[in-house]
Amino acid sequence: MNILVTGGLGYLGSHAVVELIKQKYKVFVIDNLSNSHIQNLSYLEKITGQKIEFLNADIRDKKKLDKIFKDNDISGIMHFAGLKSVKKSDSERGEYYDVNVNGTKNLIDVLNNTKKEKKYFIFSSSACVYGKPNYLPYDENHNVEPENFYGETKLEAEILLKNTYLTHEDWKIIVLRYFNPIGAHHSFLIGDSPRGKPENLMPNILSAVYPEKNKLKIFGSNHDTFDGTPVRDFIHVEDLIKGHVLALNFLRKSTKHVYEVFNLGTGEGFSVLQLIKSFEEVNGVKVSFEFSKKRKGDLPIYFSSAKKITKMLGWKPKLNLKDMCKSSWEFYKNKK
Ligand code: NAD
Ligand code: UD1
């Protein structure tokens, strides 16, 4: 079966390309390289041992999308392309809406216009659609009330997909709400390597490993948690991507049209300080850090219930916090 991976040269999408090829899917990749590097293409070819079909295209360019679907027999989309900075989503609302919402709508329209009997769609959503927790762990029935514009765009894309399901018998859709993916592929060739200054925690830890001159800024020391630093549900990127392929295989097996939402988190929370400590221990290094003021909008604590995805898809995380820290560091050293 032919699958289009949008954002397939980015952090999560590149891992999906590897796993889909391993599972014998025929993969087409599009990416506009706004937050990734073209070298990832050769790393993907090295890991998979095959040529990757890649097109530098923007998901907002409907003409190009039409052509890709006309030229290739694509039945499904794994949709990773998107803008993910919570901070920038506020100051660049137009761009975030255009990419995350209109871009998703284009992809739905283009797949819908094909004559494919069944249409498959897996969407990268985020735990931030839930907003402030009424209870923890968040399960998929928790009400959704995003606290930031990035979360609003993800929720709006989810609604577009739900409406597509409600009005079309031939669509099979899974929305995956990610918690905090970290770690890198075991080849250490691909990992989280954004353009510009990273905002997420792990890339900032990596660039603060002694003797690097940078210091990690820990945003707040007096959050309402056991050690004062925020608690997150870190999930290894390889486990996260296995969840996608299980989701796709589930859709292919089901006889009815489907719309399901699953959390993708381990169900276990660790604090920022615990992550740093584990990173230092497993890699035998020191991370320089200092406390700074709280980051606007950061929740003190959230983690996932993974019950639904375990029950329905048989997904279970296999890699632990140490594996996440080890692979992140090996990838970083390899890239330098
Ligand atoms: P990433 O930035 O590494 O990957 C996204 C890729 O999409 C990049 O390669 C970028 O160049 C590409 N892209 C961006 N805009 C595009 C456009 N208009 N047209 C074509 N390509 C475009 O991010 P990631 O961490 O791999 O995240 C993948 C998806 O998962 C995103 O949609 C993100 O919102 C979502 N997500 C990520 C996290 C996380 O912590 N990494 C958590 C929750 C949800
Ligand atoms: C946020 C979003 C999440 C989104 C993700 C993608 C919310 C509630 N969560 O996750 O949905 O998918 O961004 O970008 O909006 N930290 C530091 N110093 C740093 C960087 C981070 O102390 O330099 C701390 C943060 O305060 C946070 C934790 O590390 O508590 C994790 O931060 P980050 O990696 O940015 O992810 P989230 O904010 O949890």
Side-chain angles (χ1 to χ4, degrees):
M1 180 172 149
N2 296 1
I3 293 283
L4 178 73
V5 179
T6 73
L9 295 192
Y11 175 34
L12 307 178
S14 59
H15 288 76
V17 170
V18 172
E19 195 57 27
L20 285 166
I21 289 177
K22 202 166 130 198
Q23 302 238 0
K24 309 279 181 247
Y25 285 96
K26 169 94 182 124
V27 175
F28 296 82
V29 175
I30 62 171
D31 202 301
N32 71 353
L33 300 173
S34 58
N35 199 33
S36 53
H37 309 271
I38 191 66
Q39 291 90 313
N40 286 350
L41 185 60
S42 49
Y43 296 142
L44 287 177
E45 293 183 338
K46 196 165 174 193
I47 296 168
T48 61
Q50 55 175 267
K51 191 171 169 1
I52 308 280
E53 300 270 357
F54 170 70
L55 195 72
N56 183 339
D58 194 300
I59 55 169
R60 291 167 293 180
D61 185 341
K62 215 161 175 191
K63 265 201 189 135
K64 257 194 190 169
L65 291 183
D66 275 328
K67 182 154 168 40
I68 297 163
F69 276 78
K70 215 166 143 216
D71 294 348
N72 305 289
D73 191 28
I74 291 165
S75 315
I77 304 178
M78 249 186 216
H79 177 30
F80 293 92
L83 301 177
K84 66 170 178 177
S85 158
V86 170
K87 195 168 146 205
K88 283 193 197 139
S89 72
D90 196 37
S91 52
E92 298 170 19
R93 285 184 173 229
E95 184 74 358
Y96 269 69
Y97 192 90
D98 204 27
V99 174
N100 292 357
V101 182
N102 293 337
T104 304
K105 185 167 186 323
N106 277 346
L107 291 164
I108 296 172
D109 288 346
V110 175
L111 181 54
N112 204 37
N113 287 339
T114 66
K115 295 200 168 60
K116 284 282 161 198
E117 225 174 274
K118 297 280 173 249
K119 300 170 176 90
Y120 301 88
F121 204 104
I122 311 267
F123 177 59
S124 300
S125 189
S126 163
C128 75
V129 298
Y130 293 121
K132 284 206 180 84
N134 298 332
Y135 56 84
L136 282 171
Y138 289 124
D139 59 31
E140 292 82 354
N141 295 321
H142 190 284
N143 65 315
V144 283
E145 218 172 312
E147 291 267 293
N148 52 57
F149 191 68
Y150 165 72
E152 283 179 33
T153 64
K154 287 288 169 187
L155 184 57
E156 196 151 331
E158 286 193 14
I159 292 167
L160 286 175
L161 287 162
K162 179 84 182 271
N163 288 336
T164 305
Y165 158 79
L166 291 173
T167 47
H168 297 83
E169 288 288 316
D170 49 350
W171 276 73
K172 297 176 176 217
I173 300 167
I174 285 184
V175 166
L176 297 170
R177 292 181 180 154
Y178 309 155
F179 282 69
N180 287 61
I182 57 173
H185 188 258
H186 59 271
S187 64
F188 311 130
L189 288 171
I190 52 171
D192 194 1
S193 179
R195 282 182 187 269
K197 192 177 161 1
E199 286 181 21
N200 290 122
L201 179 58
M202 184 53 89
N204 279 310
I205 291 181
L206 292 167
S207 60
V209 173
Y210 185 79
E212 296 274 3
K213 295 210 167 47
N214 304 319
K215 263 196 176 144
L216 169 74
K217 284 192 167 32
I218 299 182
F219 301 135
S221 57
N222 61 346
H223 290 269
D224 188 11
T225 61
F226 74 97
D227 67 6
T229 64
V231 169
R232 293 290 181 270
D233 184 339
F234 299 104
I235 171 171
H236 196 295
V237 58
E238 294 202 85
D239 278 330
L240 181 108
I241 293 306
K242 294 237 162 74
H244 289 65
V245 180
L246 286 173
L248 182 57
N249 293 343
F250 170 85
L251 289 182
R252 292 184 69 196
K253 270 196 225 121
S254 70
T255 47
K256 293 186 284 200
H257 79 313
V258 182
Y259 177 86
E260 287 290 349
V261 177
F262 293 103
N263 284 342
L264 256 176
T266 64
E268 212 178 345
F270 291 96
S271 74
V272 170
L273 280 177
Q274 278 179 314
L275 178 70
I276 294 170
K277 191 158 180 282
S278 176
F279 186 94
E280 291 182 327
E281 274 172 15
V282 72
N283 295 314
V285 296
K286 276 274 156 228
V287 176
S288 335
F289 63 82
E290 63 192 4
F291 288 101
S292 72
K293 63 178 190 336
K294 284 185 183 169
R295 187 169 68 175
K296 193 174 155 247
D298 269 346
L299 295 169
I301 173 165
Y302 66 87
F303 50 97
S304 146
S305 161
K307 276 193 186 144
K308 184 177 174 191
I309 192 163
T310 302
K311 188 163 176 235
M312 285 181 68
L313 304 187
W315 178 86
K316 268 201 181 131
K318 297 209 168 68
L319 300 165
N320 60 28
L321 198 68
K322 283 190 175 151
D323 299 315
M324 302 179 208
C325 291
K326 184 90 198 139
S327 61
S328 297
W329 180 230
E330 291 303 326
F331 165 69
Y332 184 77
K333 283 190 295 178
N334 201 24
K335 199 173 52 96
K336 278 188 93 183

